């Protein structure tokens, strides 16, 4: 193996390194992305002694190249000779962790975190931890932000003296004078707390948490809210009141809406972290305030959490709390001035019925559902309709049908085709819950009207919808109600509508079964083979190919084959193509 | 920021239509906790000018305190009378500090600053439109502007009053005050930002102790804008202030200022909304170069590093900035950057986007740039020739073709001999390039094969590689060559990096 191949692989190496220095960024990028191939070709030793030093010196490059490099190095351990040598990867990654571009830096930190696990405890203290320290003391803020993400991965595996140093560095970064670094520290606070011993959580983390939560920059304070969840989970219940709650209360009433938004957004997590007692005493009033906040953003975030919050309330007092504290706020939100708030509420409000049970739903929630079904904003109505199944389980859908119908009709005719599309998607669900009679009476005509919508996506969805309806209501129903209407469209002067007939047949033949397909659909399809529009003709060919498996062999031979043979000699090349394809797929040749 | 709702998921167009709907409501209130119940009604105090001068101070303070009451302007029907009283009082206060001498006694400062802080310093509300595009969308205007405008006016007059004492004021106009002022630059209301610009400029001028702090905070705002949020409404205004600050820098420039140029202003060219503040940004950059021409090379290399890859609109802006830099460049500096720069320009003239091509070809209309090119024609012509020659044959836009012919003619006149040589070797050069390309592809193919082979050998991998290594170190015929090649390349790279 040695001789010839060894020589052969030597030449490319120089060229490869040259490739990494190519003038064209794209080529450099390509080479970097294939760095593992290069390393493999070089072998572990030369990768360590030549390639890595070269890479460390190349750091001044375009960010895109650096990003690829940072990513590659994270999985380079094997290529430098395994865990024993993994520390060789640290110098280039250290440089990458100090560049300005956030994406590159984050990737470098991610790779560093990954390879930290591959260090032996000794190497971690000898090589990795000093790197973290250097970054933490860097002059420019970028290296200090990167350091924040590395403490938690080395802390659990180092000696107690080094641990003390790490805690000290983290403390320093939490009070750094650039907000960028404080933000990085605040966002890693929860993660760091998790690896600390409980005593240090109390003595170190809590003061840092309190300080960050009252930082002068709201962008820092809001990150402390995130940390609050992890910290509260770590502490024993009896310490929460004194150590966490004052800060949380303050955050819920922060003067910046961004911080309050964050509290609302993390409310379920907070609720779980602080437990039922504090929830009852503190979080319930806080939640009420968030639902009544002066900023719509905050109200919407809180409205999104209504169902989850109620679900997670302690069972013994759940109903009372909902009825006396939450529901009054919810009622106000139904007529909020902001549509995002209303639609956030509409997406969860139906879920309350399962929690409150039948009587309360009928008495208190039903009026709200009805109001939202009549909301001026289509999004609100859609959100209600899309969650009908929750209510159906509790009180049945009949109670709503009177209001439901106008809402559906209006959405079905909405000027925006994407709204129409959304409501079509709920039709099978509605049909299932409203029953066949109600459907025939009120909704069938809507479903047929969609087939001639002027937007293709709607016609397509309508076709698919018919198939799902037949799956629900059966072939007999199909034969009586929809098949005649679909087939009559084959005589429509508009060729797009004639094609819709074919698309419907494609979708329906299988669910309708052989009899209906052969007796009713096939003759129509065959007749359309002589349509003057080529698009219709080649769709006939495609349609025959599709429904062929449903038909029996005599029909295929006697009726389908001759027509396809004619189409195969059509003057239009597309018609010919699809006819021939159908003949070969159906093996009629 | 706003809730992601069901239709936003199903309907990508909803947002646009909602945006249109929102345009109707343009004014915004500040994000504050307001008490629901109406406040105490304000009653007008006597006029200052009708009051004996001995009592004026007391009345002045009373009026300042009266103006600390805040009103909800989104509600246009409540407190109409009180709102009017406050407006009139504010007008009177503006008048009072701008026309009278001797009214700014030390004891009034805390009340003045308190009134200003109470009215101005507020959390800005969430943007009505999360994807607010300052170029297309109408900004939301501050609803309380009738009062806030007068407070800004008052602050400005206060700062400009001849009796104004920075030594007294610095106890109140401190770092915290400045920080809150800077936060307001994110306001969507251009009228507000305009006031803030003038005011911050005055504060920077009068409070020497705050200068470093202000620069550092602007630095932080910019870094956050560039690397974290890409959103801050007041970038253009802050850059405008910086433009005049840079103008006043003493020479030699401090390391801090150079760092600001290289680590903040140059990366700022990568942001999405560049069009909104490019003029101000380019002005700042050129100011730096006028101060210290040795910064030219790092600046130009920085711009080349961040040269737009896909956005032609930005590319045109970059070309504009390069021309501004070339206008003031020193010939010795030009020599240092001509090679990388003209490689880029040669790509630009060949751009299929005719505005980019056109903008770069316009360089040849600039007398000073022409003289620089002529001086260095031996270096520049070979860089430009390939693109120009190709484009002259195949660009779709006739205007560009005509411009290219003119440029080729100019270059030919500068050095006809070199031009002829390049014309003669054009074909051979292209073929050589193609061949090189082919070789590169072959190389990668070979490598891929090697990789596959190694993977299929899986267990034998380590041993095979060890063998390879042993071989390498033993066959000294080849080994030194290769490592020399590598060391060479490392060295040349280091040279490239050295600025």
């Amino acid at each position: 193996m040695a001789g010839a191949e060894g020589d052969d692989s030597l030449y490319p190496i120089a060229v490869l390194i040259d490739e990494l220095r190519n003038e064209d960024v794209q080529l450099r990028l390509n080479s970097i992305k294939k760095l593992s191939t290069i390393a493999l070709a070089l072998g572990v030793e030369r990768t360590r002694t030549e390639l890595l030093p070269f890479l460390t010196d190349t750091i001044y490059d375009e960010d895109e190249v650096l990003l690829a490099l940072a990513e590659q190095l994270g999985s380079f351990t094997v290529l430098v000779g395994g865990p024993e040598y993994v520390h060789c990867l640290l110098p280039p990654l250290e440089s990458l962790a100090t560049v300005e571009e956030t994406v590159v830096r984050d990737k470098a930190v991610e790779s560093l975190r990954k390879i930290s696990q591959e260090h032996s405890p000794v190497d971690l203290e000898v090589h990795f931890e000093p790197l973290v320290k250097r970054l933490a003391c860097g002059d420019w803020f970028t290296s200090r932000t990167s350091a924040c993400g590395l403490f938690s991965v080395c802390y659990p595996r180092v000696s107690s003296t080094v641990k003390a140093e790490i805690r000290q560095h983290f403390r320093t970064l939490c009070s750094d004078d650039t907000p960028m670094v404080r933000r990085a520290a605040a966002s890693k606070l929860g993660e760091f707390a998790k690896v600390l011993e409980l005593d240090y959580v109390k003595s170190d983390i809590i003061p840092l948490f309190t300080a960050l939560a009252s930082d002068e920059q709201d962008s820092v304070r809001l990150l402390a809210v995130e940390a609050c969840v992890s910290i509260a989970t770590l502490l024993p219940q009896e310490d929460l009141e004194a150590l966490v709650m004052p800060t949380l209360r303050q955050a819920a009433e922060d003067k910046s809406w961004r911080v309050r938004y964050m509290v609302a957004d993390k409310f379920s997590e907070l609720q779980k972290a602080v437990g039922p007692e504090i929830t009852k005493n503190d979080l319930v009033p806080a939640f009420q305030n968030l639902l009544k906040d002066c900023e719509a953003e905050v109200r919407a975030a809180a409205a999104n959490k209504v169902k989850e919050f109620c679900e997670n309330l302690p069972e013994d007092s759940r109903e009372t709390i909902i009825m006396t504290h939450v529901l009054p706020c919810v009622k106000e939100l139904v007529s909020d001035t902001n549509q995002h708030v209303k639609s956030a509420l509409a997406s969860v409000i139906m879920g309350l019925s399962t929690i409150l049970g039948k009587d309360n739903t009928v008495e208190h929630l039903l009026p709200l559902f009805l109001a939202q079904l009549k909301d001026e904003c289509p999004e609100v109505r859609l959100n209600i309709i899309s969650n009908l199944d929750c209510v159906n389980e509790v009180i049945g859908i009949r109670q709503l049908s009177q209001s439901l119908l106008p809402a559906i009709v209006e959405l079905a005719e909405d000027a925006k085709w994407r709204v129409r599309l959304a409501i079509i998607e709920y039709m099978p669900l509605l049909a299932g819950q409203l029953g066949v009679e109600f459907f025939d009476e009120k909704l069938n005509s809507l479903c047929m009207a969609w087939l001639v919508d002027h937007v293709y996506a709607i016609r397509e969805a309508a076709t698919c919808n018919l198939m799902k309806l037949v799956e629900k209501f059966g072939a007999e129903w199909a034969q009586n109600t929809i098949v005649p209407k679909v087939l009559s469209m084959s005589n429509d002067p508009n060729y797009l509508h004639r094609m819709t007939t074919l698309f419907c047949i494609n979708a329906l033949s299988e669910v309708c079964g052989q009899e209906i397909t052969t007796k009713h659909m096939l003759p129509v399809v065959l007749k359309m083979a002589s349509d003057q529009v080529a698009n219709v003709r080649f769709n006939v060919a495609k349609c025959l190919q599709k429904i062929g498996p449903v038909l029996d062999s005599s029909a295929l031979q006697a009726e389908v084959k001759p027509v396809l043979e004619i189409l195969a000699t059509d003057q239009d090349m597309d018609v010919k193509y699809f006819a021939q394809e159908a003949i070969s797929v159906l093996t009629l040749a | 920021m706003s809730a992601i709702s069901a239709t936003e998921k199903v309907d990508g167009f909803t947002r646009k239509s909602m945006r249109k709907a929102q345009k109707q409501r343009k004014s915004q209130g500040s994000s504050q906790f307001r008490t629901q119940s109406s406040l105490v009604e304000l009653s007008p105090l006597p006029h200052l000018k009708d009051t004996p001068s001995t009592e004026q101070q007391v009345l002045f303070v009373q009026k300042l305190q009266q103006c600390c009451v805040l009103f909800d302007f989104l509600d246009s029907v409540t407190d109409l009378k009180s709102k009017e009283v406050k407006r009139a009082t504010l007008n009177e206060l503006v008048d009072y500090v701008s026309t009278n001498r001797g009214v700014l006694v030390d004891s009034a400062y805390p009340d003045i600053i308190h009134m200003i802080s109470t009215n101005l310093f507020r959390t800005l509300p969430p943007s009505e439109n999360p994807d607010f595009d300052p170029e297309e969308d109408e900004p939301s205007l501050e609803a309380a502007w009738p009062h806030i405008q007068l407070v800004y006016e008052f602050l400005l007059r206060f700062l400009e009053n001849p009796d104004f004492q920075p030594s007294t004021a610095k106890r109140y106009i401190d770092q915290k005050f400045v920080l809150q002022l800077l936060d307001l630059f994110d306001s969507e209301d251009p009228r507000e930002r305009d006031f803030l610009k003038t005011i911050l400029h005055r504060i920077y001028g009068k409070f020497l102790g705050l200068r470093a702090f202000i620069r550092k905070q602007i630095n932080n705002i910019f870094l956050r804008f560039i690397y974290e949020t890409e959103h801050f409404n007041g970038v253009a205004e802050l850059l405008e202030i910086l433009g005049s600050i840079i103008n006043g820098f003493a020479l030699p420039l401090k390391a801090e200022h150079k760092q600001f140029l290289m680590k903040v202003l140059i990366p700022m060219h990568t942001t999405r909304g560049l069009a909104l503040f490019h003029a101000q940004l380019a002005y700042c950059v050129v100011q730096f170069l006028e101060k210290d021409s040795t910064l030219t090379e790092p600046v130009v290399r920085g711009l080349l590093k961040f040269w737009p890859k896909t956005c032609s609109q930005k590319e045109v802006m970059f070309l504009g900035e390069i021309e501004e830099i070339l206008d003031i460049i020193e010939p010795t500096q030009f020599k240092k950057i001509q090679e990388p720069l003209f490689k880029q320009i040669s790509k630009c003239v060949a751009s299929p986007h005719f505005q980019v091509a056109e903008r770069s070809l316009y360089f040849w209309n600039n007398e000073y740039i022409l003289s620089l090119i002529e001086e260095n024609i031996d270096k520049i012509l070979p860089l430009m020739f390939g693109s120009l020659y190709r484009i002259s044959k195949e660009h779709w836009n006739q205007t560009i073709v005509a411009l290219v012919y003119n440029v080729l003619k100019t270059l030919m006149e500068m050095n006809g001999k070199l031009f002829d040589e390049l014309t003669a070797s054009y074909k051979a050069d292209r073929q050589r390039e193609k061949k090189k390309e082919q070789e590169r592809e072959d190389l990668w193919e070979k490598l891929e094969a090697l990789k596959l082979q190694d993977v299929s050998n899986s267990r034998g991998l380590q041993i095979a590689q060890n063998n390879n290594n042993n071989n390498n170190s033993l066959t000294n015929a080849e080994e030194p060559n290769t490592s020399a090649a590598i060391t060479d390349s490392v060295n040349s790279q280091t040279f490239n990096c050295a600025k």
Side-chain angles (χ1 to χ4, degrees):
Chain A
M1 143 148 253
E5 215 184 43
D7 292 352
D8 197 28
S9 64
L10 268 180
Y11 165 68
I13 299 314
V15 187
L16 278 173
I17 301 269
D18 217 42
E19 280 277 280
L20 290 173
R21 297 191 302 130
N22 197 297
E23 237 168 61
D24 186 336
V25 191
Q26 193 54 47
L27 292 176
R28 286 204 303 276
L29 190 58
N30 290 346
S31 319
I32 287 278
K33 283 186 174 157
K34 290 177 184 163
L35 203 57
S36 55
T37 312
I38 299 179
L40 205 59
L42 276 171
V44 289
E45 198 179 320
R46 298 185 65 195
T47 300
R48 288 197 301 266
T49 55
E50 291 164 25
L51 184 63
L52 286 176
F54 169 75
L55 290 172
T56 313
D57 288 334
T58 325
I59 295 304
Y60 182 81
D61 201 335
E62 303 237 358
D63 292 328
E64 218 172 329
V65 177
L66 299 183
L67 175 66
L69 179 59
E71 185 170 10
Q72 290 276 316
L73 291 178
S75 38
F76 237 58
T77 312
V78 184
L79 297 165
V80 293
E84 204 183 323
Y85 296 102
V86 64
H87 59 83
C88 299
L89 298 172
L90 296 179
L93 282 171
E94 180 172 352
S95 310
L96 289 168
T98 62
V99 303
E100 267 78 35
E101 179 52 55
T102 330
V103 216
V104 176
R105 224 163 53 218
D106 288 351
K107 192 51 95 183
V109 170
E110 196 185 313
S111 289
L112 279 170
R113 285 168 71 112
K114 203 164 147 195
I115 64 167
S116 72
Q117 303 308 318
E118 285 154 352
H119 281 72
S120 67
V122 177
D123 280 350
L124 202 66
E125 281 196 27
V126 177
H127 299 287
F128 198 88
E129 204 270 341
L131 170 145
V132 178
K133 259 192 255 174
R134 278 194 303 277
L135 288 174
C137 304
D139 281 338
W140 187 240
F141 79 95
T142 51
S143 68
R144 302 200 298 276
T145 36
S146 292
C148 293
L150 297 172
F151 294 122
S152 65
V153 289
C154 41
Y155 190 85
R157 296 173 62 211
V158 293
S159 67
S160 58
T161 12
V162 180
K163 279 184 176 178
E165 282 173 33
I166 291 181
R167 288 195 305 272
Q168 180 52 43
H169 283 298
F170 194 81
R171 267 200 300 275
T172 315
L173 293 181
C174 283
S175 53
D176 197 278
D177 70 16
T178 70
M180 286 77 77
V181 177
R182 293 203 303 277
R183 278 195 285 277
S187 67
K188 301 292 176 193
L189 184 64
E191 177 190 291
F192 189 54
K194 280 183 193 160
V195 297
L196 248 59
E197 298 80 0
L198 183 60
D199 281 344
Y200 291 123
V201 173
K202 288 188 204 171
S203 64
D204 282 37
I205 296 289
I206 294 293
L208 295 176
F209 168 63
T210 319
L212 290 169
S214 38
D215 195 276
E216 62 190 15
Q217 303 263 337
D218 60 357
S219 54
V220 178
R221 295 201 299 275
L222 66 86
L223 290 167
V225 175
E226 272 191 285
C228 184
V229 177
S230 323
I231 294 172
T233 322
L234 295 170
L235 292 174
Q237 189 70 31
E238 65 269 19
D239 290 329
L240 285 176
E241 177 54 43
L243 299 180
V244 175
M245 286 318 290
T247 310
L248 181 55
R249 268 180 223 124
Q250 176 195 318
E253 289 175 2
D254 197 283
K255 67 178 196 301
S256 162
W257 61 270
R258 288 186 184 84
V259 178
R260 302 197 303 275
Y261 172 90
M262 200 59 158
V263 175
D265 196 49
K266 299 270 165 235
F267 216 82
S268 305
E269 288 94 325
L270 288 168
Q271 184 186 7
K272 280 179 202 148
V274 299
E277 275 313 303
I278 296 182
T279 296
K280 267 193 260 182
N281 300 331
D282 274 280
L283 293 195
V284 172
F287 193 60
Q288 283 175 289
N289 283 335
L290 292 171
L291 288 173
K292 290 188 227 157
D293 198 277
C294 64
E295 289 301 344
E297 255 74 5
V298 180
R299 291 199 302 278
N304 257 322
K305 303 287 167 191
V306 164
K307 183 192 158 206
E308 251 179 286
F309 178 74
C310 293
E311 252 172 4
N312 296 331
L313 285 169
E315 231 169 288
D316 54 343
S317 48
R318 185 187 293 157
E319 193 175 323
T320 343
I321 295 178
I322 297 177
M323 297 307 292
T324 52
H325 298 290
V326 181
L327 208 56
C329 302
V330 169
K331 276 182 190 160
E332 276 176 46
L333 290 184
V334 167
S335 48
D336 199 278
T337 48
N338 183 293
Q339 59 174 1
H340 295 297
V341 177
K342 287 187 290 188
S343 88
L345 181 69
S347 65
V348 297
I349 190 175
M350 310 290 269
L352 290 180
S353 50
T354 23
I355 305 171
L356 286 177
K358 190 172 175 185
D359 293 339
N360 280 327
T361 301
V362 173
E363 194 183 337
H364 299 283
L365 292 177
L366 196 56
L368 304 181
F369 299 159
L370 294 176
Q372 291 217 298
L373 265 181
K374 294 190 191 104
D375 199 276
E376 57 184 5
C377 167
E379 205 174 293
V380 175
R381 282 173 271 150
L382 262 180
N383 281 351
I384 290 287
I385 291 175
S386 61
N387 286 299
L388 278 177
D389 46 341
C390 318
V391 178
N392 194 31
E393 288 161 23
V394 184
I395 56 168
I397 210 164
R398 285 278 161 186
Q399 300 255 24
L400 279 173
S401 54
Q402 281 313 310
S403 310
L404 208 46
L405 192 63
I408 294 170
V409 173
E410 213 176 302
L411 289 170
E413 289 161 1
D414 197 281
K416 291 195 211 79
W417 67 268
R418 285 175 197 262
V419 174
R420 300 200 295 278
L421 186 64
I423 186 75
I424 294 178
E425 277 162 17
Y426 296 120
M427 272 325 222
L429 177 82
L430 287 170
Q433 282 164 6
L434 293 164
V436 66
E437 266 169 60
F438 186 90
F439 184 85
D440 281 343
E441 198 179 316
K442 315 276 189 191
L443 299 179
N444 194 15
S445 55
L446 279 181
C447 291
M448 300 317 290
W450 281 322
L451 288 175
V452 292
D453 198 283
H454 58 271
V455 175
Y456 175 75
I458 300 295
R459 297 198 299 275
E460 191 189 25
T463 314
C464 178
N465 172 46
L466 287 188
M467 183 183 76
K468 288 184 185 151
L469 290 174
V470 176
E471 277 170 1
K472 270 213 157 75
F473 294 149
E476 197 183 325
W477 173 81
Q479 193 184 345
N480 294 331
T481 48
I482 58 172
V483 172
K485 287 187 197 166
V486 166
L487 295 182
S488 69
M489 277 164 56
S490 69
N491 297 320
D492 198 287
N494 185 336
Y495 84 99
L496 291 172
H497 296 172
R498 297 202 294 281
M499 291 211 299
T500 306
T501 301
L502 292 171
F503 298 146
C504 286
I505 291 175
N506 286 343
L508 292 175
S509 66
E510 206 181 319
V511 282
C512 286
Q514 196 184 63
E515 201 198 323
I516 298 178
T517 307
T518 319
K519 256 171 118 179
H520 301 277
M521 297 178 179
L522 184 60
V524 176
V525 179
L526 295 174
K527 205 181 93 197
M528 291 168 83
S530 52
D531 199 287
Q532 67 211 23
V533 178
N535 294 41
V536 177
R537 293 200 301 279
F538 77 64
N539 272 298
V540 166
K542 281 163 110 179
C543 179
L544 288 172
Q545 180 186 333
K546 174 95 190 164
I547 68 174
V550 185
L551 303 168
D552 63 18
S553 60
S554 65
L556 275 176
Q557 287 298 335
E559 300 181 63
V560 176
K561 191 178 172 188
V563 172
L564 281 177
E565 276 165 353
I566 295 169
L567 289 175
T569 59
D570 200 281
Q571 39 179 287
D572 185 280
M573 58 181 280
D574 292 322
V575 179
K576 250 194 248 176
Y577 172 81
F578 285 109
Q580 275 156 4
E581 191 186 68
I583 290 173
S584 78
V585 170
L586 298 172
T587 56
L588 293 173
Chain B
M1 273 285 109
S2 62
I4 297 165
S5 43
T7 12
E8 257 166 87
K9 278 180 238 147
V10 294
D11 186 353
F13 294 131
T14 313
R15 284 162 147 196
K16 203 172 171 186
S17 52
M18 282 191 300
R19 184 190 299 175
K20 275 184 195 145
Q22 279 170 351
K23 275 191 178 169
Q24 282 141 28
R25 206 199 113 199
K26 279 183 212 150
S27 65
Q28 272 194 317
S30 56
S31 175
Q32 283 168 318
F33 286 122
R34 290 191 199 86
T35 39
Q36 295 285 331
S37 61
S38 174
L39 301 134
V40 213
E41 192 164 292
L42 298 189
S43 48
L45 295 163
H47 285 293
L48 279 162
K49 62 175 189 296
D50 304 337
T51 316
S53 54
T54 47
E55 290 161 34
Q56 276 186 2
Q57 257 325 304
V58 180
L59 186 59
F60 178 52
V61 169
Q62 276 179 345
K63 287 191 180 242
L64 286 169
Q65 282 162 353
Q66 190 174 47
C67 289
C68 288
V69 182
L70 301 180
F71 297 98
D72 181 358
F73 271 82
L74 282 183
D75 187 343
S76 54
V77 287
T78 55
D79 308 317
L80 282 181
K81 192 164 155 258
S82 297
K83 281 177 188 167
E84 176 52 30
V85 171
K86 178 168 168 183
R87 199 193 59 79
T89 311
L90 281 169
N91 260 324
E92 201 191 348
L93 289 175
V94 171
D95 199 44
Y96 186 67
V97 291
S98 43
T99 52
N100 296 348
R101 293 294 305 261
V103 294
L104 295 183
V105 295
D106 284 4
S107 62
Y109 280 64
D111 288 298
I112 290 173
I113 297 299
H114 180 247
M115 190 280 278
I116 290 166
S117 310
T118 315
N119 279 283
L120 299 185
F121 298 152
R122 61 212 197 277
T123 309
L124 294 169
S127 176
E128 282 282 286
N129 175 355
D131 341 272
F132 175 67
D133 176 356
E135 280 190 300
E136 284 205 0
D137 301 331
E138 289 286 317
S140 311
L141 300 180
E142 172 58 53
W145 191 244
H147 285 172
I148 288 188
Q149 174 182 18
L150 292 169
V151 179
Y152 276 120
E153 190 79 46
F154 177 77
L155 171 55
L156 195 57
R157 303 294 171 158
F158 167 62
L159 291 169
E160 287 172 348
N161 187 299
D163 296 331
F164 177 76
Q165 290 296 334
S167 52
T168 313
K170 73 178 182 198
R171 259 180 292 157
Y172 313 103
I173 299 187
D174 53 4
Q175 298 193 345
K176 188 158 182 261
F177 187 91
V178 168
L179 208 54
Q180 288 173 294
L181 211 55
L182 282 168
D183 280 341
L184 292 174
F185 274 84
D186 195 21
S187 166
E188 261 184 47
D189 194 329
R191 302 169 300 182
E192 177 160 24
R193 296 201 305 269
D194 207 49
F195 262 114
L196 285 163
K197 186 177 71 188
T198 322
I199 287 164
L200 186 67
H201 199 223
R202 294 284 178 282
I203 293 179
Y204 190 88
K206 287 184 194 288
F207 295 84
L208 303 185
L210 286 172
R211 287 186 177 181
F213 179 79
I214 291 175
R215 288 197 307 268
K216 200 170 100 196
Q217 292 309 320
I218 293 180
N219 204 338
N220 287 344
I221 289 177
F222 283 173
L223 286 168
R224 181 164 187 233
F225 169 70
I226 300 168
Y227 293 115
E228 294 182 18
T229 58
E230 285 219 328
H231 180 89
F232 192 84
N233 290 314
V235 176
E237 283 81 3
L238 290 176
L239 283 170
E240 212 176 315
I241 299 172
L242 280 167
S244 66
I245 292 179
I246 295 165
N247 214 340
F249 282 163
L251 286 172
L253 288 176
K254 287 191 206 160
E256 173 212 333
H257 301 324
K258 290 186 188 171
Q259 189 183 48
F260 176 70
L261 171 67
M262 293 314 297
K263 299 221 169 184
V264 181
L265 292 185
I266 298 298
M268 198 176 237
H269 287 81
T270 59
T271 50
R272 206 170 32 172
L274 182 65
L276 292 164
F277 51 81
H278 181 255
Q280 290 86 343
L281 180 57
Y283 178 79
C284 287
V285 171
V286 172
Q287 288 292 305
F288 263 113
L289 299 186
E290 291 214 66
K291 285 263 160 195
D292 181 352
S293 65
T294 61
L295 291 167
T296 312
E297 191 185 351
V299 163
V300 172
R301 284 191 187 275
L303 288 176
L304 291 174
K305 177 179 169 186
F306 293 128
W307 201 272
K309 301 268 186 310
T310 53
C311 180
S312 338
Q313 191 206 3
K314 265 194 184 180
E315 222 174 333
V316 172
M317 287 185 255
F318 271 59
L319 285 164
E321 188 167 345
I322 290 288
E323 183 162 3
E324 282 182 55
I325 293 174
L326 289 178
D327 268 334
I328 56 143
I329 201 166
E330 286 178 8
T332 46
Q333 297 297 326
F334 182 78
K335 284 194 202 310
K336 289 185 191 163
I337 46 105
Q338 56 183 359
E339 202 182 318
L341 179 63
F342 276 84
K343 271 182 191 158
Q344 181 58 55
I345 293 175
S346 132
K347 279 183 209 157
C348 292
V349 297
S351 168
H353 195 291
F354 83 96
Q355 285 177 334
V356 174
E358 189 180 51
R359 186 68 191 82
S360 47
L361 289 165
Y362 279 166
F363 282 13
W364 272 263
N365 294 344
N366 183 315
E367 289 295 330
Y368 183 59
I369 299 181
L370 268 186
S371 73
L372 290 168
I373 293 177
E374 182 153 21
E375 241 170 78
N376 302 284
I377 186 72
D378 298 351
K379 286 273 176 348
I380 291 173
L381 187 51
L383 296 172
M384 293 301 300
F385 185 80
S387 288
L388 288 171
Y389 189 81
R390 183 165 60 81
I391 285 302
S392 70
K393 299 224 181 318
E394 52 189 51
H395 204 281
W396 61 272
N397 184 299
Q398 285 314 304
T399 322
I400 298 300
V401 175
L403 281 169
V404 166
Y405 273 118
N406 282 336
V407 168
L408 279 172
K409 201 167 139 252
T410 320
L411 291 173
M412 193 166 68
E413 283 160 8
M414 287 177 182
N415 188 342
K417 189 166 161 281
L418 180 58
F419 193 91
D420 291 341
E421 281 168 27
L422 288 166
T423 321
S425 65
Y426 179 77
K427 263 209 177 117
D429 284 348
R430 292 295 85 78
Q431 254 153 15
R432 205 175 315 131
E433 268 172 34
K434 262 195 190 142
K435 199 171 156 237
K436 224 175 141 192
E437 187 56 38
Q438 187 58 44
E439 276 172 8
R440 165 178 300 115
E441 272 171 33
D442 291 349
L443 167 65
W444 280 109
E445 245 164 59
K446 254 193 231 166
L447 266 180
E448 285 300 319
L450 187 73
K451 189 181 174 187
L452 286 178
Q453 199 186 348
D454 277 338
V455 171
S456 62
N457 282 350
S458 63
R459 260 324 285 173
L461 173 75
Q462 287 289 336
I463 305 157
Q465 273 176 346
N466 284 342
N467 277 344
N468 262 351
N469 288 336
N470 291 340
N471 268 340
N472 295 345
S473 43
L474 290 173
T475 45
N476 12 11
E478 279 122 337
E479 172 65 9
N481 280 343
T482 337
S483 54
I486 293 168
T487 350
D488 268 349
S489 60
V490 169
N491 284 341
S492 60
Q493 191 64 37
T494 347
F495 277 120
N496 278 343
C497 296
K499 289 166 193 168

